[in-house]
Amino acid sequence: MSRNRVVVAGLGDAGILAAIRLSRYADVVGISTKPALVSGQELGVRLARPDDWARDYWIPFDRFRRLDGVRTVQAALTGVDLGGRTVFGRRQDGSTVTEPYDALVISTGVTNGFWRRPTLQTAAEIGSGLRADHERLAGARSVIVVGGGAAAVSSALNLATRWPGKRIDLYFPGQRALTGYHPRVWRRIGERLTALGVGVHPGHRAVVPDDAAVDDLTSGPVRWTTGQPVASADAVLWTIGRVRPNTDWLPGELLDERGFVRVTPELRVPGHEGVFAVGDVAATDPLRSSARNRGDALVAHNVRASFAGRPLRTYRPPTRRWGSLVGIQPNGLEVFAPTGHSFRFPSWSVQRVVMPWIVRWGMYRGVRENRPLG
């Protein structure tokens, strides 16, 4: 008896977890522009300590035990025939990809700066990019971080921790950063930034260059629409939340006015049986929170339920962001609850329990020993 065929379009953080969960119940094909999971998480650690980041967030697909039965295809998606239930792509050598499906999970994520791009890359290109970004910041005497979200705050804190002699300044438009989190979170993180010597500058709204500029580390002056004097630094990191959904390959009827994939509370694309979306590309709520909060588990359950004719479960987004903000630090891992309270895993438990057992076995169902950044 043949099994149903599921195409998971995009193997980032949400897509790879959905593929892992579906791999025991269907014939799964995963399509990705990368030859590995290259996570969009923990930008600050990625920039300050790329080897540490690569150990946990750049993982070749063949390291995942539960992907052994998944066929992974490295290609850029170019289109979909919804009636014919087929997706199309293009490999790096220009050859075409045609993959039929019984169910399609759209998890192609978003473009956001130089650290989240949908371009086809080899492992060597990924590694050289990581090193180049790190070395650019290592050589800068001063760094401006523009933005008030988690990526901005994490970057400022991690850069200041890694290079205490650098001048690091964080500029954001509101009276506080991390507005998607409970106010307690910013109070705690803001105190840590000040203790590290980071210049914290609320009420600064930047004159934003064009998309091509903010997608890279820049240098030179930063001007403000809010009237403050021009600021300058050797390197400027734009973490302003200018995300663009990776949906150019999809027909407009599937998208909302901003280009994200419209979904029902069951993460199903309305009007198209067998098509689902999860992660940052799915317009579930203003925070697009199915990228976290076990959205992968829900979409995997609902794909299986749709095959069996069972009722589908609904996704209930949280009202506030939560989780780790600045990544693993020398003294452990701090995790914030939706209430703004935090708890810390000491460093010994992160290396002996959290990463090997909770993450690599609990979340990913087994990850073979990774290789160092090369």
Side-chain angles (χ1 to χ4, degrees), residues 165-229:
K166 268 189 216 306
R167 195 190 85 215
I168 312 288
D169 288 282
L170 173 67
Y171 293 87
F172 49 91
Q175 289 308 301
R176 69 178 179 92
L178 302 176
T179 54
Y181 293 80
H182 193 282
R184 288 192 189 97
V185 179
W186 171 241
R187 286 199 295 270
R188 181 172 177 84
I189 297 294
E191 290 172 357
R192 291 179 62 186
L193 290 169
T194 300
L196 287 166
V198 175
V200 177
H201 307 277
H204 286 66
R205 186 175 295 278
V207 176
V208 180
D210 59 41
D211 286 345
V214 300
D215 279 349
D216 288 300
L217 287 164
T218 64
S219 59
V222 180
R223 294 176 171 83
W224 315 102
T225 64
T226 37
Q228 295 90 348

Side-chain angles (χ1 to χ4, degrees), residues 21-179:
R21 291 182 178 276
L22 286 163
S23 63
R24 293 177 62 185
Y25 307 100
D27 291 329
V28 179
V29 178
I31 303 176
S32 172
T33 57
K34 316 296 189 224
L37 169 64
V38 183
S39 176
Q41 298 182 60
E42 307 296 5
L43 175 62
V45 176
R46 172 177 172 149
L47 295 173
R49 294 180 280 119
D51 288 290
D52 291 345
W53 181 88
R55 180 192 60 226
D56 298 324
Y57 295 103
W58 173 19
I59 307 175
F61 294 137
D62 61 8
R63 305 284 181 180
F64 293 94
R65 296 179 185 276
R66 284 282 290 273
L67 289 187
D68 286 351
V70 173
R71 182 162 60 86
T72 58
V73 178
Q74 187 176 3
L77 291 157
T78 57
V80 59
D81 177 355
L82 295 168
R85 296 189 173 223
T86 306
V87 296
F88 307 98
R90 183 190 67 257
R91 294 186 179 89
Q92 235 168 353
D93 62 5
S95 61
T96 58
V97 170
T98 302
E99 295 290 347
Y101 64 82
D102 296 304
L104 171 64
V105 177
I106 301 167
S107 53
T108 42
V110 296
T111 295
N112 186 12
F114 57 85
W115 63 96
R116 297 180 75 181
R117 288 178 173 170
T119 51
L120 285 161
Q121 285 183 300
T122 64
E125 289 168 337
I126 295 166
S128 64
L130 285 175
R131 285 189 294 271
D133 297 334
H134 171 75
E135 290 167 5
R136 169 75 185 279
L137 292 168
R141 293 169 299 176
S142 57
V143 180
I144 286 175
V145 182
V146 184
V153 170
S154 172
S155 296
L157 190 144
N158 277 282
L159 294 177
T161 301
R162 176 66 178 82
W163 294 296
K166 268 189 216 306
R167 195 190 85 215
I168 312 288
D169 288 282
L170 173 67
Y171 293 87
F172 49 91
Q175 289 308 301
R176 69 178 179 92
L178 302 176
T179 54

Side-chain angles (χ1 to χ4, degrees), residues 320-348:
R320 293 188 187 273
R321 292 187 183 275
W322 63 279
S324 166
L325 263 170
V326 299
I328 300 170
Q329 299 297 305
N331 62 350
L333 177 67
E334 186 173 31
V335 178
F336 291 91
T339 60
H341 296 97
S342 67
F343 55 94
R344 181 183 300 280
F345 294 96
S347 56
W348 69 265

